[in-house]
Amino acid sequence: MAQFFKPQKKTVAKGKQQLTIDTLNHEGVGITRVNNKVGFVEGALPREVVLASPTQTKAKFERFSVSKVIKPSEFRVKPFCTHYNICGGCQLQHLAPEQQLVEKQKAVNSLFEKFLGDANTDLNWQSAIDSQPLTYRRTARIAVFYDKNKKEYLFGYRQKGSKKIININNCQVLESCFSNIFEVFHPLLKRLKTGQSITHLQLYRTQDQALIIIRHIRALSENDINLLSSEADKNGWKIVLEGETGQYEFSDKHASTQAVINNKNIHLLHYDINEFNLKFNFSFDNFIQVNHKVNGLMLKQAIDWLNLKSDEKILDLFCGIGNFSLPMAQRASSVVGIEGVASSVEMAKFNAKNNQIENARFFCQDLNESMAKAKWFNEEYDVLVLDPSRAGAFDILSQLKLKRFARILYVSCDPVTLARDSKLIIDAGFKISKTGLMNMFPHTGHVETMALFTKS
């Protein structure tokens, strides 16, 4: 009797599936097809074969996490952080740094194909603005939670895929001045009598100081404040207290530079952009870019790409404290900056005056509302610059008469809304002239992109 070879069936743990990964999406998550649906596989890389555990099942998609890598990618590397498997801060440490940019560029291409179609997706990619892989974060928030049942403090970041706080021993992406923040503060919290009032720390590395804002919901005792200040002084940090009223108070009365802005006494911090000889003041309530080096290179690239002429007028939407407005005002006839946060508008005006820039005006306006009656909206401009939040700029782009602009520069922190909004711009008669990634957040799923549009 003939014997036929029967291959052994692969044994797979209950609920787990063997999957082959096709690509990464714009959040750095592996994509495959499974059960006639899209499969999102956390921790997987393109062309890998993995054993994955299901975490969510929906009608149109399923989510998985990698249990075992059967066939690894050539670009898979060992994560440098001991907390990587549980911390929600980074998503791509398992992918070689140089390949992170390659995969992010592919993801942006896919999104443009989805929104624009193949005929409009020649993005003319330029070299990416890269970042140092470690010690790049000049701001960060660290959570503090007191577990009453265990009578212990949790001090760190959110757990991956959860709101739970996990203890962190170190974080190598923080600027080096904060390298020992966890080993100093975790044991320090246990020594405080009123430490349970503290909800989180906000770190700021400014041009000349390392600041720690301690946010607390009830008053801290004088002894605790002195203890916090003493430990901070040993490490070159300045303590700032933010209590129930939302007011900021430096523990060292001489550590703060202050100014009266719009009839309010404001604590001033600052960063310099040496390329443009500009000093940007900001307060604790203002948004600034996390990666100082990439921010400077981003501004330089924007100026280079726009090639501004001295007689051109610029409209800068979502202008913040003037990060793009002021360098452009040095080269153009005039700049009008629009921002929805009143405190940022006041700071932009202060920065213009402080840098002796007289051809920049700033207005506070919610750019999701109707602009028809706004005086600035009906003025003539040559160049449009946009730097919106993740929500994008669809509402304001839908209202603007885009054809009156010669060039449009879009700086994006979300490639989905960038691709969506780009269709409006292209439909108005523009083409994509240049596109480039900015590695603002290495090892994460964040994708920062700059796109220049010119008349087609």
Side-chain angles (χ1 to χ4, degrees):
M1 182 177 177
Q3 297 289 322
F4 293 96
F5 173 74
K6 292 184 178 181
Q8 294 290 322
K9 291 184 178 180
K10 293 181 180 178
T11 58
V12 179
K14 184 179 180 180
K16 296 180 180 180
Q17 296 188 48
Q18 181 173 305
L19 305 172
T20 300
I21 309 304
D22 300 319
T23 185
L24 293 186
N25 71 1
H26 64 282
E27 296 176 325
V29 177
I31 301 295
T32 187
R33 295 292 301 181
V34 57
N35 301 327
N36 295 317
K37 293 184 282 187
V38 177
F40 297 97
V41 188
E42 190 79 36
L45 298 176
R47 295 172 296 282
E48 286 190 332
V49 179
V50 301
L51 190 63
S53 301
T55 58
Q56 186 182 34
T57 300
K58 295 290 185 179
K60 294 184 178 180
F61 67 88
E62 294 186 26
R63 293 189 182 276
F64 300 83
S65 63
V66 171
S67 298
K68 180 181 179 181
V69 179
I70 298 172
K71 180 183 177 184
S73 163
E74 61 181 304
F75 301 109
R76 179 173 284 274
V77 296
K78 182 180 179 180
F80 57 81
C81 179
T82 57
H83 305 291
Y84 180 62
N85 289 330
I86 57 172
C87 178
C90 297
Q91 299 84 38
L92 288 174
Q93 284 186 23
H94 59 289
L95 179 60
E98 62 276 9
Q99 192 65 19
Q100 291 177 21
L101 289 172
V102 173
E103 297 299 338
K104 288 181 179 182
Q105 184 170 309
K106 289 179 182 177
V108 176
N109 276 331
S110 295
L111 287 168
F112 270 81
E113 289 175 4
K114 175 182 176 181
F115 281 95
L116 302 180
D118 294 342
N120 295 304
T121 53
D122 180 9
L123 303 186
N124 191 19
W125 285 102
Q126 308 295 298
S127 297
I129 294 175
D130 209 352
S131 167
Q132 59 196 53
L134 303 177
T135 65
Y136 67 82
R137 284 197 72 109
R138 61 175 170 178
T139 72
R141 175 176 290 194
I142 306 173
V144 180
F145 177 75
Y146 182 73
D147 189 326
K148 293 181 179 180
N149 295 325
K150 296 182 178 180
K151 296 183 179 180
E152 66 178 19
Y153 282 95
L154 296 174
F155 182 61
Y157 301 131
R158 303 285 179 185
Q159 183 175 327
K160 190 176 295 185
S162 170
K163 293 183 178 181
K164 182 181 177 181
I165 307 301
I166 57 170
N167 280 321
I168 297 292
N169 297 323
N170 64 78
C171 179
Q172 296 179 59
V173 300
L174 295 179
E175 284 212 10
S176 56
C177 61
F178 296 119
S179 61
N180 62 335
I181 187 76
F182 296 98
E183 63 183 81
V184 170
F185 259 86
H186 200 177
L188 178 58
L189 288 167
K190 302 174 185 177
R191 298 167 58 192
L192 302 177
K193 299 296 185 183
T194 54
Q196 295 178 36
S197 300
I198 299 174
T199 59
H200 62 271
L201 308 186
Q202 182 76 40
L203 311 182
Y204 278 99
R205 178 69 174 99
T206 70
Q207 197 71 27
D208 51 7
Q209 295 184 99
L211 301 172
I212 300 176
I213 301 176
I214 299 179
R215 303 187 191 271
H216 54 95
I217 55 176
R218 291 179 296 275
L220 299 177
S221 71
E222 185 176 348
N223 286 339
D224 281 354
I225 293 173
N226 291 336
L227 182 57
L228 288 164
S229 299
S230 176
E231 290 297 318
D233 287 343
K234 294 176 185 178
N235 291 277
W237 306 322
K238 298 296 181 184
I239 293 294
V240 184
L241 302 175
E242 183 194 4
E244 317 93 292
T245 63
Q247 299 297 311
Y248 298 97
E249 181 181 351
F250 279 72
S251 59
D252 179 354
K253 304 299 182 183
H254 302 289
S256 170
T257 301
Q258 299 188 30
V260 177
I261 300 177
N262 198 25
N263 299 318
K264 293 182 180 179
N265 198 31
I266 304 295
H267 294 289
L268 288 183
L269 316 176
H270 79 276
Y271 63 89
D272 295 340
I273 302 294
N274 295 328
E275 178 75 23
F276 303 103
N277 194 28
L278 288 169
K279 177 181 179 180
F280 286 91
N281 285 287
F282 65 97
S283 71
F284 297 118
D285 295 328
N286 298 140
F287 168 81
I288 64 169
Q289 295 289 354
V290 161
N291 193 319
H292 178 63
K293 175 187 174 183
V294 170
N295 182 53
L297 294 172
M298 176 178 70
L299 296 179
K300 183 179 184 304
Q301 177 171 280
I303 296 296
D304 291 344
W305 283 15
L306 285 171
N307 190 25
L308 298 170
K309 301 176 179 61
S310 59
D311 62 345
E312 289 187 310
K313 297 179 180 179
I314 301 168
L315 177 61
D316 180 16
L317 302 181
F318 311 94
C319 68
I321 63 172
N323 194 48
F324 283 96
S325 300
L326 301 191
M328 293 187 296
Q330 292 177 331
R331 287 156 174 77
S333 172
S334 65
V335 175
V336 171
I338 312 299
E339 169 60 46
V341 180
S343 61
S344 294
V345 173
E346 296 303 321
M347 192 61 70
K349 293 177 181 178
F350 181 86
N351 283 329
K353 182 178 180 180
N354 198 43
N355 286 283
Q356 300 180 328
I357 292 176
E358 299 178 350
N359 61 334
R361 295 177 291 145
F362 297 94
F363 300 94
C364 186
Q365 179 85 52
D366 183 347
L367 291 169
N368 295 314
E369 296 179 350
S370 173
M371 305 295 140
K373 295 181 180 180
K375 181 180 177 181
W376 61 265
F377 182 78
N378 296 303
E379 294 181 19
E380 292 299 319
Y381 304 98
D382 302 289
V383 175
L384 173 63
V385 175
L386 309 106
D387 183 16
S389 66
R390 295 180 65 85
F394 190 87
D395 289 338
I396 184 61
L397 285 171
S398 299
Q399 297 181 61
L400 286 167
K401 296 178 181 179
L402 296 176
K403 292 183 179 180
R404 63 178 167 167
F405 299 103
R407 300 182 300 290
I408 298 175
L409 187 77
Y410 195 130
V411 181
S412 166
C413 60
D414 188 326
V416 175
T417 52
L418 170 63
R420 177 201 67 190
D421 295 350
S422 293
K423 188 175 190 309
L424 287 175
I425 300 173
I426 290 173
D427 288 347
F430 289 81
K431 65 179 180 181
I432 301 172
S433 177
K434 294 179 180 178
T435 312
L437 294 179
M438 300 167 293
N439 200 14
M440 191 74 73
F441 300 92
H443 316 300
T444 76
H446 294 289
V447 182
E448 312 278 325
T449 315
M450 183 182 292
L452 177 66
F453 299 84
T454 56
K455 291 286 180 65
S456 59

